[in-house]
Amino acid sequence: MTANELDTPYYVFYANEFIDNYRDLENSMKAVYPNYQIAYSFKTNYTPAVCSLVKNLGGYAEVVSDMEYVLALKIGFTPNHIVYNGPGKGDMLKHCILNGGLLNIDNLREFERICAIASANPGRQLKFGIRVNFDIGNDLHSRFGLSSEKNGDFTYVLNAIKNIQNLSLKGLHFHISRARGLDAWKRRIDGILQLVGDNNLDNLEYIDLGSGMYGKLDSELQDQFGETPSFGDYAKVVAGEMAAFYSGRASKPMLITEPGTTVISKYFHVFMRVLDIKVIRGKSFALLDGSFHNVGEVCSLKKIPIRIKRHKSGKFYENLDFVGYTCLEQDIIYSGFDGELSVGDVVEICNVGGYSIVDKPPFIHPDIPIYMDLNGHTTCIKREQSLNDIFAPYSFDPVEV
């Protein structure tokens, strides 16, 4: 079975290219700071085949909910290879901390919860991490983590655990959005290392800097972003600062990053067929059998790379918009296409691996299948969703009036 033999719409995951990219990031960091670890962001794309591949590559799971935590266990990650982040952890918080997971608390309510767990388990030595919050100058007043300002929540927790014999701090975590540049990453690592030095945190087991690196980009996207750092550039700044700070020290904590889009986006493509082409008041529209939900937010932010697989000779169009099947005016997948097109052509839309799979609602149509291309073989890793899949949780009991 090949991609050309499949019925649209569908995704293809190019696993070999994903593996090469994953290893490139890992090797770039380890060349500068050997004690480096990737923790793959489940929320970005929790397709089990992808997560299983990460596990087999030696990666950790980074999760932000009980659902994702249980999924990681089901796939085979052990708790000590699961980073549990997020502001709304459920009951699995207890499982995580009691089984050696990398639990990073986000707020004082979570600290109270782990204190209660420690009190109920006096014979167990428990460890946890803290997500810290400080300004890196990117004009975002983040709501996540504990404030590291003097006498803030971070200081409160450091003082409180001095009186809890079986609870200790083993990690610091920092993540912030809208900060992919090298300067922002330098401010991340510098801020964390300053907290380590100022608070004499000499026994940390890990420092986790979250996610948000640029990944490898198709030329069409690269032109829109301009010059972006390579994995080697990030390694010089982030791993380089770690290596310098811990030079000569016996204890060198693990450096963790949590890539999602960085490692996965480029390696998922979605294929949709042209159902109709029409012109309204001089504007051309091509209707596809998928929707912007299948592509993700990226299509509203950038002109994503597309490829046309022609069904037959077509007409040349200028400034054509590819639109989806929904009844929403905002369902625009690609604007401003100039080229030949006909009904029946297949549009290959690239760079859709980040958030499109997990963020797709069951709106109007069931979700579409996913195929994996690995070592020249194409296999189905998620079947097409059915009506029964969507409506199984609902009650169909007659409603009496």
Side-chain angles (χ1 to χ4, degrees):
M1 178 171 55
T2 66
N4 292 331
E5 299 170 338
L6 303 173
D7 292 330
T8 59
Y10 60 88
Y11 294 102
V12 175
F13 167 47
Y14 294 99
N16 291 105
E17 296 177 33
F18 168 82
I19 292 168
D20 290 343
N21 184 56
Y22 181 100
R23 286 175 172 159
D24 192 8
L25 171 59
E26 182 179 55
N27 292 338
S28 296
M29 288 289 188
K30 285 187 173 182
V32 182
Y33 189 79
N35 194 14
Y36 168 72
Q37 179 63 53
I38 290 175
Y40 172 70
S41 168
F42 270 39
K43 67 180 177 293
T44 306
N45 185 329
Y46 51 55
T47 302
V50 174
C51 299
S52 179
L53 190 55
V54 168
K55 176 182 173 294
N56 290 334
L57 289 168
Y60 287 14
E62 187 268 330
V63 304
V64 294
S65 70
D66 277 7
M67 181 189 78
E68 292 181 358
Y69 184 88
V70 173
L71 174 61
L73 293 176
K74 184 177 179 65
I75 288 170
F77 289 92
T78 53
N80 64 318
H81 287 177
I82 301 175
V83 179
Y84 197 173
N85 293 323
K89 302 177 186 71
D91 293 340
M92 297 308 290
L93 173 149
K94 181 177 181 180
H95 184 280
C96 185
I97 195 169
L98 287 177
N99 289 278
L102 285 70
L103 177 75
N104 294 317
I105 64 168
D106 180 81
N107 50 64
L108 291 183
R109 302 294 81 73
E110 290 183 348
F111 179 61
E112 292 171 358
R113 290 171 65 188
I114 65 173
C115 287
I117 295 169
S119 178
N121 294 270
R124 303 279 300 275
Q125 289 295 320
L126 305 181
K127 300 178 181 180
F128 71 104
I130 299 174
R131 179 170 180 170
V132 292
N133 184 314
F134 52 83
D135 183 16
I136 65 165
N138 68 330
D139 297 323
L140 176 63
H141 199 133
S142 175
R143 66 185 178 93
F144 299 108
L146 303 187
S147 173
S148 64
E149 294 177 325
K150 187 176 181 180
N151 298 322
D153 289 345
F154 178 63
T155 302
Y156 169 79
V157 171
L158 292 184
N159 289 330
I161 60 176
K162 293 176 182 177
N163 300 314
I164 307 174
Q165 292 185 347
N166 65 327
L167 187 62
S168 60
L169 181 67
K170 74 171 179 178
L172 294 182
H173 174 240
F174 182 85
H175 170 75
I176 195 163
S177 301
R178 307 172 199 169
R180 293 183 181 270
L182 288 177
D183 288 345
W185 275 86
K186 188 173 189 310
R187 287 191 286 270
R188 290 191 198 198
I189 186 62
D190 287 348
I192 285 281
L193 294 177
Q194 183 174 344
L195 288 177
V196 172
D198 289 349
N199 295 282
N200 300 312
L201 301 177
D202 299 324
N203 297 315
L204 292 182
E205 296 179 14
Y206 66 86
I207 288 174
D208 183 345
L209 291 182
S211 62
M213 295 180 184
Y214 285 104
K216 296 172 185 175
L217 300 172
D218 290 300
S219 58
E220 298 95 325
L221 279 175
Q222 189 70 68
D223 290 343
Q224 295 172 71
F225 279 103
E227 186 176 354
T228 57
S230 68
F231 291 156
D233 294 331
Y234 285 113
K236 289 176 185 177
V237 170
V238 178
E241 291 291 328
M242 281 285 288
F245 186 86
Y246 285 100
S247 176
R249 301 192 189 196
S251 175
K252 291 180 171 58
M254 181 187 297
L255 170 63
I256 299 173
T257 67
E258 303 166 351
T261 58
T262 303
V263 293
I264 194 64
S265 286
K266 188 176 186 294
Y267 308 107
F268 266 73
H269 296 187
V270 64
F271 294 76
M272 303 179 186
R273 192 173 302 276
V274 178
L275 300 179
D276 181 59
I277 303 172
K278 61 183 175 183
V279 179
I280 299 178
R281 299 197 305 276
K283 174 69 176 175
S284 300
F285 299 91
L287 173 65
L288 303 180
D289 59 1
S291 82
F292 70 138
H293 291 302
N294 298 117
V295 178
E297 186 184 25
V298 65
C299 70
S300 67
L301 303 173
K302 300 290 181 182
K303 282 186 128 178
I304 54 179
I306 62 171
R307 313 278 184 264
I308 307 298
K309 299 181 181 296
R310 289 197 179 89
H311 171 67
K312 60 182 179 180
S313 295
K315 179 181 175 182
F316 188 88
Y317 293 90
E318 291 184 355
N319 195 31
L320 176 144
D321 286 357
F322 288 103
V323 298
Y325 61 70
T326 72
C327 303
L328 303 173
E329 293 285 6
Q330 66 266 33
D331 191 356
I332 301 172
I333 295 168
Y334 187 96
S335 297
F337 171 77
D338 297 329
E340 188 177 326
L341 194 69
S342 67
V343 172
D345 287 352
V346 172
V347 182
E348 177 181 2
I349 304 164
C350 311
N351 202 84
V352 302
Y355 295 100
S356 58
I357 306 293
V358 295
D359 210 25
K360 165 69 172 68
F363 181 58
I364 298 181
H365 283 306
D367 205 0
I368 65 178
I370 304 173
Y371 298 89
M372 179 172 66
D373 185 304
L374 176 63
N375 298 328
H377 300 285
T378 302
T379 56
C380 183
I381 57 175
K382 180 192 175 186
R383 63 169 173 79
E384 182 179 7
Q385 198 175 38
S386 70
L387 180 144
N388 287 337
D389 292 327
I390 296 173
F391 289 98
Y394 291 84
S395 170
F396 278 81
D397 292 340
V399 179
E400 301 293 340
V401 178

